Amino acid sequence: AALALYPVHPLAKRCLSRSRLKLDETITLALNNGERNFELQKYKQAYSDYRSVEQMVSDMNNKNYQLADKRMKAIDLILMGSK
């Protein structure tokens, strides 16, 4: 809200920068958790981690989104083959 009222306010810009950094860290953590769970064959948990990445990124052209989407499709194939 502060950025909408005063876009060049230094504290608002700093807060936005920190928020973006925290979001990037959270996305990286979710991807790492997804990879670890995928390698451990905990596919449902890995799928959940990758889904979280897609929701946080929401840009289909983003490399993290594309990786998460690719892994989710692979998990779908693995789980279908195990039925």
Side-chain angles (χ1 to χ4, degrees), residues 18-68:
R18 286 185 177 184
S19 295
R20 286 183 178 152
L21 181 62
K22 182 64 177 172
L23 179 61
D24 288 343
E25 291 172 355
T26 304
I27 290 168
T28 300
L29 179 65
L31 274 176
N32 290 340
N33 287 341
E35 291 295 310
R36 185 177 64 249
N37 285 322
F38 187 87
E39 290 173 10
L40 294 172
Q41 298 180 358
K42 295 180 178 179
Y43 297 120
K44 290 182 180 182
Q45 184 58 46
Y47 193 94
S48 176
D49 294 328
Y50 294 129
R51 183 71 187 122
S52 294
V53 170
E54 282 192 347
Q55 290 173 338
M56 287 185 278
V57 173
S58 72
D59 175 10
M60 295 174 74
N61 295 317
N62 181 287
K63 64 180 173 111
N64 292 328
Y65 184 99
Q66 291 173 353
L67 174 62

